[in-house]
Amino acid sequence: MMKPSIRNQALRLFALSLAAIALLASILLAACQEEEVKVGETARVKVAVSLAIFADFVREVGGDRVDVSTLIPAGADPHTYDPPPSRVARLTEADLVIVNGLGLEAALQDVIEENTPSSTPIIELSRGLSATNDQQSANPHLWLDVQNAIAYVERIRDALVEIDPPSAESYRANADSYLAELRTLDQEVATAIDSIPADRRKLVTFHDAFSYLAQRYGLQVVGVVVASPGKEPSAKDVADLVEAIAAEGVPAVFKEPEYNSRILELAADDAGVEVCTLYSHALDKKVDTYVKLMRFNAKELVRCLA
Ligand SMILES: [Zn+2]
């Protein structure tokens, strides 16, 4: 009678010790994982970028090894934005600062130079790429040609590899898959715009941001509301624009989300054409990545011009 009960007790004891071992193992594992997360957090590379589009590029390449902050908030005009002290702190803490250059961040440039620690590299994404000149100064909006965005991403990859060599393999692998996605995107945009009849591929936008997009994908920039952001157009500028819209037979005009579209709407009303939307430097809740921005623009161009 004793034997089975002893065996039962022994089995129960064995089961209990197995459970205890499993519990201990899971506690140890959790502790290790927690430790890993902590190490990962302290080792993250702090990157400060001017535009949300560049933050998207840095996250694609850096993944969870980077901590990205954007200097220019959503809805602000990068050409005239002057950051408050709370945003300047993002520069003083950064390991790497990434800007476009070519005067895009005109109002921000001095703040960046004065507040970035001397040991922190400042990368200018447009440097060395061929830029076109409008109104005697270089046009900074290179990224709206996907080929240039590819060059930007390669530059970001190289900067991260240089500043954080232990993670080089991860940065290269992430960049490779994102660059492949961008090459597909380039073809997708080209194919979409190709479907618009040649004589209707005409652009009238709020400011002069789309010359690289026009060049790469075969569109013609017919007119803009403002020669450079921050300046009010004169009555004559607006009259000239209305005339150009009519003379060129422009099917639609394009506002940009971060700019007041009142003048463009008046001009469109006068010329009897539709007002559509193109994204230049802003991202928002609906269009929250560079890939989505280019896809939205291509779709909108087809919808409004074809
Ligand atoms: Zn611009």
Side-chain angles (χ1 to χ4, degrees), residues 79 104 141 207 209 259 281:
H79 299 280
L104 176 78
H141 309 86
H207 86 303
Y259 294 112
H281 13 67

